[in-house]
Amino acid sequence: MTDSPRGTGGEPLPGDAHRLRRGALGLIDIAAATMANIGPAMSFFFGFAFLAVTAGVASPLTILVAGIAVALLGNTLAQFCRALPSTGGFITYVGRTFGPTSAVTTALVAVSGYIIAMSSIIAISGGFLSIAVQRYFHVTVPWGVLTVVLTGLAVLVMTRGVAVSTKLAGFFFAFEMLVLVVISVTVIVQHAGHLSLTPFEPSRIHGGFAGLAAGFPLAVYLFIGWENSAALAEETDDPRRNVPRAVFSSIAVMVVSYLLFAYATVTGFGYDVGRLGQADIPFVSVAEGTVGVLACCAYLAGLTSTLGALIAGVNAQARLLFNSGREGLLPRWIGRVHPTRRTPVNATLVFVAISLVVIGGWALGHVLGGSTGHLDAVTFFSESGTMGTIPVLVVYLFTNLALPVYYRRHRPQEFSVLRHGVLPLVGAAVIVVPLYYLAKSGQDAPYNWFPWASLALVLLSLLYARVLVRRDPGIADRIGSLLADDGPVPIPVAEPAIRNSTVPQGETT
């Protein structure tokens, strides 16, 4: 039984070979995949100490503000998905609004940002396992070796089918959440006699509004991956309805969860931010002081979190790469699917391979620079995560700006001043805050050159886009030509290389 439409004679309709497996995932599947991509244990373990030191004891309040900001972004994605449910996600939204040059530019900027950011998760999967093995077995295994092994196993799972890999990521997420919630509640109960609302008092934010703004990018980073479900639209039942539900439910669950984890952590340290900031992994330190030997479960939760985020993240973000190849924004062979499993094998392999090259290049740079003392996965996680976040935030910004333009231009009868005007513009303004703090001068190396690298990426992507669109004007018709719940649309098979190309006779775009 096939998952795509058939002609009257039973033959596959044109474009059928370009399709992913539709209807393979339900609402719970894509919501679980989204939260697994966020990786609450991984993100909180390695991000909260920096946030607490920056924002102060009221860092949970910063998380709450970041959650509201991410919900504004969620509105933009939800509104676009109701109109354009596409595996291309942000690329399709921006491209259908501002034209083909913006689509190609967005494809390169978004995919590059996601690859760099995902390389941090790939690295920390092996890094965290190395830390756990050293902690409990006193054996040192190079984190690079473990990273390659775990990544290889994850790719094997992902290429087997989206349902298999998504359910596995969901299982990992369920385990980490169970462990984190149990430990957090235990900590709070044991400190019941000393609880207070200090972490939620605005006056306790270090430096006032400036401290809130400085900690805001770190808090937003905890939610990166919230957009995962949009890239799974083509493989989801009723995507126009289920993707928005998955987005908002995932954000809500993560906000509540992070507030619980943050409150338990600052409580476990007696509201002493200085001492909290000195701990390698504050939540694990609290767990060891509260549940004793059962703290090993926190290490397991961290490991399953990194693996779940790796699988869910690559699954979703490689599909952006896949769709860009399928529509001709990038080389066509990237947009091919496995003939029986309907998985984007080529895009997945390319995505992971480039991520590993990024990790290897970073390590080689440290070796050649003589700074091997910082050659650890945690340092790379922080650096590559920050670098990858900047171009992703730029894409968020332009997607927010695109929403009111798209609805006014293409769906004026549905335009809502609040949903399609006010909220996305507020969301765009909110994104400027973390962008400013990530790009401001005076930061330590290598963070001080990340903004310039991101600017160079945008300019080079724009240059490539202008050349490609001039050589292949048919790109304009291919952007968003395959929506998740539509019948397949024929796509030109000509390779959109940097040369003149035409649509074959008898085919339409």
Side-chain angles (χ1 to χ4, degrees):
M1 186 175 180
T2 183
D3 62 323
S4 52
R6 294 274 170 178
T8 55
E11 73 283 3
L13 291 175
D16 201 33
H18 300 278
R19 283 291 193 180
L20 299 171
R21 187 174 299 282
R22 293 198 280 176
L25 305 173
L27 172 60
I28 294 178
D29 293 320
I30 61 174
T34 298
M35 290 183 281
N37 191 177
I38 293 173
M42 173 197 66
S43 300
F44 191 79
F45 283 7
F46 298 105
F48 184 66
F50 299 104
L51 174 60
V53 170
T54 303
V57 71
S59 49
L61 192 59
T62 309
I63 292 176
L64 179 60
V65 174
I68 295 173
V70 173
L72 291 172
L73 303 179
N75 170 73
T76 296
L77 187 146
Q79 298 305 321
F80 261 126
C81 193
R82 289 188 175 108
L84 297 169
S86 168
T87 298
F90 299 127
I91 301 167
T92 298
Y93 309 152
V94 174
R96 289 285 284 265
T97 303
F98 298 127
T101 299
S102 67
V104 178
T105 303
T106 302
L108 291 171
V109 172
V111 170
S112 298
Y114 279 126
I115 286 176
I116 296 171
M118 183 54 61
S119 66
S120 69
I121 296 176
I122 290 175
I124 205 65
S125 65
F128 195 82
L129 178 56
S130 178
I131 292 172
V133 169
Q134 175 62 38
R135 169 69 174 80
Y136 287 100
F137 300 101
H138 307 292
V139 176
T140 300
V141 182
W143 64 269
V145 174
L146 295 177
T147 292
V148 172
V149 172
L150 292 176
T151 303
L153 293 175
V155 169
L156 181 62
V157 171
M158 285 183 278
T159 56
R160 296 292 297 176
V162 68
V164 174
S165 57
T166 299
K167 291 182 186 305
L168 181 59
F171 171 79
F172 285 152
F173 166 74
F175 176 80
E176 67 178 290
M177 283 295 290
L178 176 63
V179 172
L180 267 60
V181 169
V182 169
I183 291 177
S184 296
V185 171
T186 302
V187 170
I188 293 173
V189 169
Q190 289 197 6
H191 292 79
H194 307 283
L195 299 180
S196 77
L197 295 178
T198 298
F200 298 101
E201 296 176 2
S203 61
R204 301 304 296 270
I205 294 178
H206 180 69
F209 180 78
L212 175 65
F216 186 70
L218 300 171
V220 169
Y221 183 70
L222 295 178
F223 292 91
I224 292 293
W226 62 271
E227 68 275 31
N228 175 287
S229 55
L232 300 175
E234 189 171 318
E235 296 152 290
T236 305
D237 290 325
D238 196 0
R240 297 176 194 261
R241 176 173 174 267
N242 284 343
V243 170
R245 286 188 171 191
V247 169
F248 287 120
S249 61
S250 300
I251 293 172
V253 170
M254 287 297 95
V255 169
V256 174
S257 300
Y258 280 142
L259 290 177
L260 174 64
F261 307 154
Y263 186 71
T265 303
V266 296
T267 298
F269 277 93
Y271 309 113
D272 186 342
V273 175
R275 193 160 57 91
L276 186 157
Q278 294 174 358
D280 292 333
I281 306 178
F283 188 87
V284 174
S285 298
V286 169
E288 290 175 334
T290 304
V291 295
V293 295
L294 294 180
C296 64
C297 293
Y299 279 97
L300 288 176
L303 178 60
T304 59
S305 181
T306 59
L307 293 176
L310 193 164
I311 294 172
V314 172
N315 250 348
Q317 293 155 22
R319 277 160 172 74
L320 298 181
L321 180 64
F322 154 78
N323 195 70
S324 296
R326 180 170 65 174
E327 294 182 350
L329 280 63
L330 295 175
R332 180 76 65 191
W333 61 271
I334 295 177
R336 294 172 183 163
V337 298
H338 191 280
T340 57
R341 296 168 184 161
R342 316 305 296 173
T343 53
V345 178
N346 289 356
T348 300
L349 293 177
V350 169
F351 190 97
V352 170
I354 297 176
S355 296
L356 292 174
V357 168
V358 170
I359 298 172
W362 173 85
L364 181 62
H366 275 269
V367 172
L368 296 178
S371 56
T372 55
H374 298 286
L375 195 60
D376 61 271
V378 176
T379 299
F380 179 77
F381 178 83
S382 176
E383 293 179 0
S384 65
T386 301
M387 174 61 210
T389 297
I390 296 176
V392 171
L393 288 177
V394 171
V395 173
Y396 288 174
L397 174 62
F398 280 94
T399 304
N400 274 283
L401 296 175
L403 183 63
V405 176
Y406 176 82
Y407 267 84
R408 289 294 292 178
R409 181 181 298 169
H410 299 287
R411 294 173 173 257
Q413 72 282 3
E414 300 175 22
F415 182 81
S416 165
V417 173
L418 178 62
R419 294 194 306 273
H420 307 128
V422 175
L423 293 182
L425 292 180
V426 173
V430 167
I431 287 299
V432 172
V433 177
L435 274 175
Y436 167 76
Y437 277 92
L438 289 171
K440 71 176 184 177
S441 60
Q443 301 184 79
D444 296 331
Y447 299 96
N448 60 338
W449 60 263
F450 287 170
W452 298 106
S454 299
L455 178 60
L457 171 63
V458 172
L459 294 177
L460 289 174
S461 299
L462 179 60
L463 177 62
Y464 173 87
R466 291 181 66 88
V467 173
L468 182 61
V469 171
R470 188 178 297 115
R471 298 290 180 87
D472 184 14
I475 286 179
D477 298 316
R478 296 197 296 268
I479 298 169
S481 59
L482 286 177
L483 297 183
D485 52 1
D486 290 343
V489 179
I491 299 179
V493 297
E495 186 78 352
I498 307 300
R499 62 178 185 273
N500 289 325
S501 62
T502 57
V503 178
Q505 285 189 338
E507 294 196 67
T508 63
T509 57

